[in-house]
Amino acid sequence: MNAQSMAAILLYMAVILHLVGMSGWVVPKLSQSIQLATLAFMLTALIALRKKKRKTKRRPRKPPAEVEVMLDQAQEGETGK
């Protein structure tokens, strides 16, 4: 089961619980626990949909052309001695 279908199921359950709680069919003592369960389902759906950040490997950058010219000049100076 992928994350989107899991989140959809959790949200449907949260909506159903919310509707049952608002309908008045529930004993007043249970209304707070039903609201907390609704909140828990919604937060779990958000966590299921959260995308994990991937660490990208950073490629070493190619040095600018001036650096290559300076290296060539330095190597020529060393070989010329």
Side-chain angles (χ1 to χ4, degrees):
M1 181 179 295
N2 62 7
Q4 287 181 341
S5 60
M6 182 70 158
I9 291 170
L10 290 170
L11 287 175
Y12 284 133
M13 290 171 59
V15 168
I16 290 171
L17 268 180
H18 182 69
L19 290 174
V20 167
M22 296 298 289
S23 68
W25 295 349
V26 179
V27 180
K29 287 184 179 180
L30 294 177
S31 65
Q32 185 178 8
S33 59
I34 287 180
Q35 289 174 352
L36 287 174
T38 303
L39 180 64
F41 281 133
M42 288 191 282
L43 289 176
T44 308
L46 282 176
I47 290 171
L49 288 176
R50 185 182 60 153
K51 291 186 178 182
K52 295 183 180 180
K53 294 181 182 176
R54 295 182 183 173
K55 291 184 180 179
T56 57
K57 293 183 180 178
R58 215 174 154 177
R59 287 186 276 160
R61 288 186 269 168
K62 186 177 178 183
E66 299 93 26
V67 174
E68 290 182 23
V69 172
M70 290 172 62
L71 283 174
D72 289 339
Q73 290 174 355
Q75 288 174 354
E76 287 176 7
E78 289 176 5
T79 56
K81 287 187 178 181

